[in-house]
Amino acid sequence: MLTIKTIGQVLKEKRTSLGLDLSEAEQLTQVQKLYIVALETDDYKALPGDFYIKAYLKQYAEKLGLNADRIIQSYDEGKGITVEDKEDILENYHFVKPSERVEPEEEVPKTWRHYVPIISLSAAALLIVVGVFAAVIMNKPEIPDLITNDYSYSKSEVSTSKSSTSSTKPSESSTQASSSKPEPTIAISGSSSAMIATISNISDPIKVDFSVAAGRTIWVGMTNSNVPATGQTLSDAANSLSALVTTGAENSVITLGSVQGLTITVNGKALDLSSLTTTGPNKITLQINRTTSNSAAQ
């Protein structure tokens, strides 16, 4: 029988058929629990915007094994989804007369003969263990006389000390070379909801760390990186994210649902987010000027 159901009803019925509660669905789909409740009750006003609604619908539907394209199409058209409901099948019960019932056979008590094979196998295994232990004891090698090894030991000790002394010098030179490498610099421009961060004197790998304060929930998206295309939501359940910029990429665009309570660092250097003053979605463009071999040598 065909019926028309809302997107939320389809999502909730699929989740319950898989035996998932809201916490388990949150771990499976990486969609925050409060957004799952909003999707399953068709309360789209509880989500930040149309872009996030479609992203969460697609991510949630795919993880539940549903047709994500069909659900997105239904959302765009503002219509329900036609599904087939299985009719309840009445079970047929057959009354069995007492005279026709088959009583279960009584279990025959086990005698000591039943345990003979088990006892035999256990005894054989014990004999094997004892035999192996005796063979190891009898064939144990004698401890060599330590007095005959005094000379060789002292000689190797001298050679070890020389090698450790020689290895110290290269490490000191490498430390001096690394200390001469220029520190990355970040220049900030733009304001309101869009900001450009120009990063100079930096080389691959470029690591961007996000962390959110307790009690805050922020969606993060990032191009030219290993962040999923649907982005990731940071909250108390998972309040940090480490992303790597694609090697050789000259820019990366970071999209944020909000910046309140958010901290961003690039290779350990903090980004100044004070110019972003809007409460809605914000965008940060990272312009990357990598360190060349000549500039590194200088």
Side-chain angles (χ1 to χ4, degrees):
M1 181 175 63
L2 297 178
T3 58
I4 298 177
K5 296 185 178 181
T6 66
I7 295 174
Q9 289 174 332
V10 172
L11 294 174
K12 185 173 182 179
E13 288 180 3
K14 182 62 176 177
R15 174 178 64 80
T16 55
S17 69
L18 295 175
L20 300 174
D21 58 23
L22 290 175
S23 298
E24 292 171 337
E26 182 181 44
Q27 295 178 358
L28 173 65
T29 62
Q30 296 299 311
V31 176
Q32 197 172 359
K33 190 188 301 183
L34 62 92
Y35 292 150
I36 291 178
V37 174
L39 293 176
E40 291 185 350
T41 56
D42 303 295
D43 184 12
Y44 300 121
K45 293 182 180 179
L47 282 85
D50 189 68
F51 172 80
Y52 302 102
I53 294 172
K54 292 182 179 180
Y56 289 146
L57 281 174
K58 179 177 177 63
Q59 185 172 350
Y60 192 36
E62 288 179 346
K63 292 296 184 178
L64 294 180
L66 295 171
N67 188 332
D69 294 335
R70 183 182 175 191
I71 287 179
I72 295 298
Q73 180 182 0
S74 177
Y75 169 77
D76 289 334
E77 295 175 352
K79 298 179 180 180
I81 300 176
T82 303
V83 296
E84 182 177 358
D85 272 349
K86 296 181 179 179
E87 296 183 358
D88 294 334
I89 301 175
L90 296 177
E91 297 183 359
N92 295 324
Y93 295 93
H94 175 66
F95 178 75
V96 180
K97 298 179 181 180
S99 60
E100 297 176 352
R101 296 176 186 172
V102 179
E103 297 294 336
E105 297 182 358
E106 295 183 0
E107 185 178 356
V108 179
K110 298 177 181 179
T111 62
W112 64 272
R113 289 188 178 87
H114 176 77
Y115 300 99
V116 170
I118 300 175
I119 296 173
S120 301
L121 291 175
S122 300
L126 181 60
L127 289 175
I128 292 173
V129 173
V130 172
V132 172
F133 181 76
V136 171
I137 296 298
M138 294 178 64
N139 295 320
K140 185 177 181 181
E142 296 182 358
I143 300 175
D145 190 359
L146 296 178
I147 298 177
T148 59
N149 296 328
D150 286 346
Y151 176 74
S152 61
Y153 175 77
S154 61
K155 186 175 181 180
S156 64
E157 185 178 5
V158 173
S159 61
T160 303
S161 62
K162 289 182 178 180
S163 63
S164 62
T165 303
S166 61
S167 63
T168 305
K169 295 181 179 179
S171 64
E172 292 176 353
S173 61
S174 63
T175 303
Q176 294 175 355
S178 62
S179 61
S180 62
K181 185 176 180 179
E183 288 288 331
T185 60
I186 302 176
I188 303 298
S189 61
S191 61
S192 185
S193 62
M195 184 180 86
I196 298 176
T198 303
I199 307 172
S200 303
N201 298 328
I202 195 167
S203 57
D204 292 317
I206 300 175
K207 182 182 179 184
V208 182
D209 291 312
F210 302 85
S211 62
V212 67
R216 303 294 303 179
T217 299
I218 299 176
W219 180 88
V220 177
M222 185 173 178
T223 65
N224 291 335
S225 71
N226 59 345
V227 176
T230 55
Q232 184 168 333
T233 301
L234 302 182
S235 62
D236 290 339
N239 62 356
S240 63
L241 169 64
S242 293
L244 290 175
V245 176
T246 303
T247 302
E250 297 181 353
N251 59 70
S252 177
V253 178
I254 301 173
T255 305
L256 304 169
S258 173
V259 295
Q260 298 297 322
L262 181 66
T263 302
I264 303 176
T265 61
V266 180
N267 281 9
K269 202 169 187 67
L271 282 182
D272 184 3
L273 306 179
S274 59
S275 61
L276 298 175
T277 57
T278 60
T279 58
N282 297 271
K283 181 182 293 184
I284 301 174
T285 301
L286 302 181
Q287 294 289 352
I288 302 170
N289 297 327
R290 288 176 173 75
T291 304
T292 61
S293 57
N294 293 333
S295 63
Q298 294 175 357

